[in-house]
Amino acid sequence: MTSEKPPLPADGEQNEAELGLGVEQEVVMETARDGWDSKVEYFLAQVGFSVGLGNVWRFPYLCHQNGGGAFILLYVLLMGLVGVPLFFLELAAGQSIRQGSIGVWRHISPKLVGIGYSSCVVCFFVALYYNVIIGWSIFYMGSSFQYPLPWENCPTEGNGTVKECAASSPTAYFWYRKALDITDSIDETGEFNYIITGCLLAAWVIVCLGMYKGIKSTGKVMYFSSVFPYVVLLCFLIRGVTLDGASEGIKFMFYPRLEIWGDVQVWRQAATQVFFALGLGFGSVIAYSSYNPRNNNCHRDAFTVSGVNFMTSVLATLVVFAVLGFRAKTIATECVKRNVKDLFKAGHSTSLPDLLINVSDVESITLDKYEEWYRIQGQQLNIPGYNITACSLEEELKQGVEGTGLAFIAFTEAMTLFPGSPFWSVLFFLMLLNLGLSTMFGTMAGILTPLTDTFKTLRKHKLLFTMCSCAVGFLIGLMFTQRCGNYFVTMFDDYSATLPLIIVVIFQTLSVAWVYGADRFLEDLKRMLGRPLPVVYKYLWKYVCPVAMLGLLGASLLKMILEHPTYTAWNREKASKEVLPYPGWAIAVLSTLICVAFLPVPIGYIHFFLLERLGQSPQDAEARYVPCATTDMDLTPLSMLPPSGDGPNSFSPLLQENNDYHLQNGHIEHFESSAL
């Protein structure tokens, strides 16, 4: 439809020169922007994105390694001072401007458009390897439908047990040899693992089906994928606390060691966990909130989602260490029985000193008694033909508690000790599958929403764009299904997102707090939400958050410079893990990942600068990018939106800028305009 440009409201008039538009306009009325069918769908989507696999295996590991309860207190402090304010900033920016990450930062300042593109690149990198983890979960879930579980016992070879399995454990052998068939180093590529390739294909098909209608289909899937993990966690918690050793595991987990507060790297790890737990910088938070009506209380949402995220991490930690406490006590108790039986046998063939324990009554010797005896007498014994070892509950708790080692080795081993182990195994890996999918939907939204908002052609072919994105993700993801693929997953997880996202969030915060103006932004939010917000946000956004993020960036860079990048490999001959340095070509790859993810930020600024030097206005420079229609589905009445100025029809700068308005039946309708 072509017509003259609709007039602006009387008190909000701006001349066309100020808007950077020509006299003649082509006005195209777009289909109203999609919106969530209910607040519940939106809330579940935000929770599903922020609560991911890291809550189940990364947070418990960090608590365990960094002071237990002391780390949790530090985490809460950083969550309140940095995490929640930045999370609220992204929610508010997306909801007020109603664009994806590219549109939001272009709207605030065209020279900052690269921030949005960097977010898209990082989301793409994360999606590539994250879906591989989902594929692993599918493989393990499928392998759980048999009794006994295939990782419960070592396979036989000839007349004996497979050497690699006997030297490690059945769960470690199944993970490294049966699931991954891993090579000894990243230099040895090996052929494709066809079973994992099939599982990766299944994972991408599920993601595509869940997103084929955008948030309309994703929102419905979230009712299950976001809620089901909590049902499973509660089931595991109820089962876990009844197990022998659960109390020891939980006590070991939460015992506070306050001295860790003096370690800079602990602060770095806590800040990084806050950063990734809330999904800051990905653009997914902005994408999801952009589908909200403008009068949604995003301030309350910021606290609610952050609170649910933290409580989920604590719940998962309780479950993990209740189960691992049971596993550790079972292993340590078996160790005590084995050693006591060896002492009893040795007593019949060798002259032993008077022992401080009664080796003839194995059942009477508790773990605590044995540990005390070993410390006083046992470690001094040297009996030919026998190896009397320490049996430490604490040492067992330290084994295999990080990342994939927790989920696919330690936890799977613990579940083999459960009655009805296949049932619990299916539940656990179905939970991991849903945790991964809900995060994956948000990650893909961080790619698809800003690009379809920005490019009209993509917006007209959303389904095709979604399918092509998933197909490209699968094809590139084949590099992770090689026998050395696990090492590339580790590389991407460690280096492709952390530094670029920290830089992105620093620029986001500075652009709102200093370029657009914190006072101006708070005033816009006051009009949008209908009430003033605490002025403390001004100081958090302007000073506390940038300083904290710069400190995190500095600590991360310092760690990379001082420590040569390494990865953990599996040595088949030794049947054990070993830490290896990345070869030169791998260093080049991970450096390229970091640079490619960050590069759009300076490129966007240089592009803007060159256009300015050529005499082209910022509006003309962006004319080729057509922002999406921002009509609210509910057509919010004018009376519901407080004015920004003296006139009744004057609205927030964030709502006015780069948009034209047409008043019809007392409602605001937005139209796209582009110069002829």
Side-chain angles (χ1 to χ4, degrees):
M1 170 175 84
T2 303
S3 65
E4 293 184 358
K5 176 183 172 183
L8 291 170
D11 291 317
E13 287 186 7
Q14 297 176 329
N15 59 49
E16 290 175 341
E18 289 175 334
L19 290 172
L21 300 174
V23 176
E24 295 186 18
Q25 301 289 323
E26 178 186 352
V27 181
V28 182
M29 185 166 67
E30 291 280 339
T31 305
R33 182 176 178 80
D34 286 341
W36 298 102
D37 287 341
S38 70
K39 179 62 180 284
V40 174
E41 286 186 10
Y42 163 70
F43 179 77
L44 291 177
Q46 286 286 21
V47 169
F49 170 66
S50 65
V51 175
L53 298 172
N55 296 76
V56 173
W57 62 42
R58 181 67 178 165
F59 185 84
Y61 166 75
L62 291 175
C63 287
H64 171 265
Q65 292 295 105
N66 298 307
F71 179 83
I72 294 177
L73 292 175
L74 179 59
Y75 181 84
V76 171
L77 175 66
L78 293 175
M79 175 79 82
L81 290 178
V82 180
V84 174
L86 292 178
F87 188 62
F88 174 48
L89 184 148
E90 292 197 10
L91 287 176
Q95 181 173 308
S96 60
I97 300 174
R98 292 176 67 80
Q99 294 276 293
S101 56
I102 296 173
V104 163
W105 305 117
R106 175 189 289 119
H107 190 102
I108 289 176
S109 175
K111 68 184 69 172
L112 299 174
V113 68
I115 297 174
Y117 285 103
S118 280
S119 295
C120 290
V121 173
V122 173
C123 279
F124 182 67
F125 286 161
V126 171
L128 289 177
Y129 75 84
Y130 209 86
N131 230 19
V132 176
I133 301 175
I134 295 175
W136 293 342
S137 301
I138 293 173
F139 171 75
Y140 264 79
M141 186 178 68
S143 301
S144 299
F145 289 96
Q146 50 187 301
Y147 185 82
L149 291 170
W151 51 82
E152 186 169 339
N153 301 300
C154 284
T156 57
E157 187 177 54
N159 295 325
T161 303
V162 174
K163 182 181 177 181
E164 184 181 3
C165 184
S168 54
S169 69
T171 50
Y173 175 80
F174 186 87
W175 168 240
Y176 288 114
R177 192 55 50 216
K178 294 297 184 180
L180 302 179
D181 194 17
I182 199 166
T183 57
D184 286 352
S185 73
I186 196 171
D187 285 314
E188 305 172 36
T189 55
E191 64 275 7
F192 285 105
N193 185 325
Y194 293 107
I195 296 178
I196 297 300
T197 300
C199 292
L200 177 62
L201 176 61
W204 276 111
V205 169
I206 294 172
V207 170
C208 188
L209 291 176
M211 300 198 69
Y212 81 104
K213 285 188 177 180
I215 64 167
K216 294 300 182 183
S217 56
T218 303
K220 301 299 183 291
V221 174
M222 288 297 177
Y223 280 108
F224 181 79
S225 64
S226 292
V227 175
F228 179 75
Y230 290 96
V231 176
V232 176
L233 283 174
L234 289 173
C235 289
F236 268 99
L237 180 63
I238 294 170
R239 182 70 184 95
V241 296
T242 63
L243 298 171
D244 184 27
S247 60
E248 286 88 344
I250 294 172
K251 180 181 177 182
F252 180 81
M253 175 64 241
F254 288 104
Y255 183 78
R257 298 183 290 279
L258 296 176
E259 63 274 10
I260 59 95
W261 281 45
D263 187 345
V264 174
Q265 289 304 319
V266 174
W267 285 77
R268 180 189 66 81
Q269 290 180 328
T272 303
Q273 180 61 21
V274 169
F275 188 84
F276 282 100
L278 295 176
L280 301 176
F282 284 89
S284 304
V285 173
I286 293 175
Y288 277 161
S289 64
S290 71
Y291 297 110
N292 275 330
R294 288 201 178 90
N295 59 358
N296 174 65
N297 191 342
C298 56
H299 186 238
R300 181 180 59 198
D301 292 343
F303 282 90
T304 306
V305 174
S306 301
V308 170
N309 186 294
F310 171 69
M311 295 308 298
T312 304
S313 296
V314 175
L315 174 62
T317 301
L318 285 170
V319 170
V320 166
F321 278 86
V323 174
L324 291 186
F326 163 67
R327 167 185 171 271
K329 191 165 186 179
T330 301
I331 294 173
T333 302
E334 289 298 321
C335 173
V336 170
K337 291 180 179 179
R338 183 174 61 253
N339 285 333
V340 170
K341 288 179 180 178
D342 285 347
L343 285 170
F344 183 75
K345 291 178 183 178
H348 287 81
S349 58
T350 308
S351 177
L352 295 177
D354 291 336
L355 299 177
L356 301 178
I357 54 174
N358 183 10
V359 295
S360 62
D361 187 4
V362 177
E363 300 299 329
S364 67
I365 303 175
T366 64
L367 186 57
D368 290 336
K369 285 183 179 180
Y370 180 85
E371 287 182 346
E372 183 180 0
W373 170 82
Y374 187 82
R375 186 176 62 255
I376 296 172
Q377 186 183 37
Q379 59 186 347
Q380 281 83 36
L381 288 178
N382 185 11
I383 308 173
Y386 295 94
N387 182 24
I388 306 302
T389 60
C391 299
S392 172
L393 177 66
E394 182 172 338
E395 289 301 316
E396 290 297 337
L397 280 167
K398 291 179 181 178
Q399 300 299 315
V401 294
E402 181 181 12
T404 54
L406 169 63
F408 297 107
I409 299 177
F411 215 90
T412 52
E413 182 178 345
M415 287 186 294
T416 61
L417 305 173
F418 286 12
S421 54
F423 168 77
W424 293 103
S425 183
V426 170
L427 272 187
F428 178 71
F429 289 109
L430 187 58
M431 177 191 73
L432 291 187
L433 173 62
N434 281 277
L435 281 172
L437 285 174
S438 58
T439 300
M440 191 65 189
F441 291 143
T443 303
M444 291 299 292
I447 303 171
L448 301 177
T449 296
L451 292 178
T452 53
D453 283 352
T454 303
F455 299 102
K456 190 174 182 180
T457 301
L458 298 180
R459 186 161 65 255
K460 287 183 175 180
H461 304 91
K462 279 187 178 181
L463 177 57
L464 180 61
F465 180 47
T466 300
M467 294 174 64
C468 289
S469 299
C470 293
V472 170
F474 168 71
L475 292 175
I476 298 177
L478 290 176
M479 66 181 293
F480 302 110
T481 65
Q482 301 174 94
R483 291 181 58 200
C484 65
N486 184 52
Y487 303 136
F488 284 100
V489 170
T490 302
M491 178 192 293
F492 271 67
D493 189 32
D494 290 341
Y495 297 103
S496 70
T498 305
L499 282 179
L501 282 182
I502 294 172
I503 296 171
V504 164
V505 172
I506 290 173
F507 275 98
Q508 285 183 179
T509 310
L510 294 177
S511 66
V512 170
W514 293 95
V515 177
Y516 187 80
D519 290 320
R520 183 183 176 193
F521 190 61
L522 284 172
E523 188 63 27
D524 292 340
L525 298 185
K526 175 183 175 181
R527 286 188 289 270
M528 185 175 74
L529 300 177
R531 61 184 179 83
L533 292 168
V535 73
V536 69
Y537 282 113
K538 171 184 175 180
Y539 301 101
L540 290 173
W541 288 333
K542 292 186 72 172
Y543 306 109
V544 176
C545 292
V547 169
M549 297 308 296
L550 286 171
L552 176 59
L553 177 62
S556 300
L557 286 172
L558 190 64
K559 184 176 185 295
M560 288 187 64
I561 293 171
L562 296 180
E563 299 179 11
H564 189 282
T566 59
Y567 66 101
T568 302
W570 177 259
N571 187 294
R572 184 168 191 165
E573 290 299 320
K574 298 177 182 177
S576 64
K577 295 184 289 185
E578 58 182 357
V579 177
L580 300 176
Y582 278 112
W585 66 266
I587 296 289
V589 170
L590 64 88
S591 300
T592 302
L593 290 174
I594 295 172
C595 292
V596 168
F598 167 66
L599 212 53
V601 176
I603 288 177
Y605 186 85
I606 293 170
H607 178 253
F608 174 84
F609 177 77
L610 291 176
L611 289 174
E612 270 197 333
R613 292 294 297 269
L614 293 173
Q616 195 171 1
S617 70
Q619 286 82 3
D620 290 337
E622 303 302 331
R624 73 192 68 180
Y625 304 112
V626 185
C628 70
T630 54
T631 307
D632 283 349
M633 294 298 290
D634 55 357
L635 288 176
T636 306
L638 286 176
S639 59
M640 297 296 291
L641 291 174
S644 63
D646 297 331
N649 294 325
S650 180
F651 297 94
S652 159
L654 279 177
L655 305 184
Q656 284 186 359
E657 198 171 325
N658 297 335
N659 290 286
D660 296 311
Y661 297 88
H662 180 63
L663 307 185
Q664 181 177 359
N665 299 327
H667 297 88
I668 293 180
E669 291 194 20
H670 298 224
F671 299 88
E672 292 185 16
S673 301
S674 59
L676 286 173

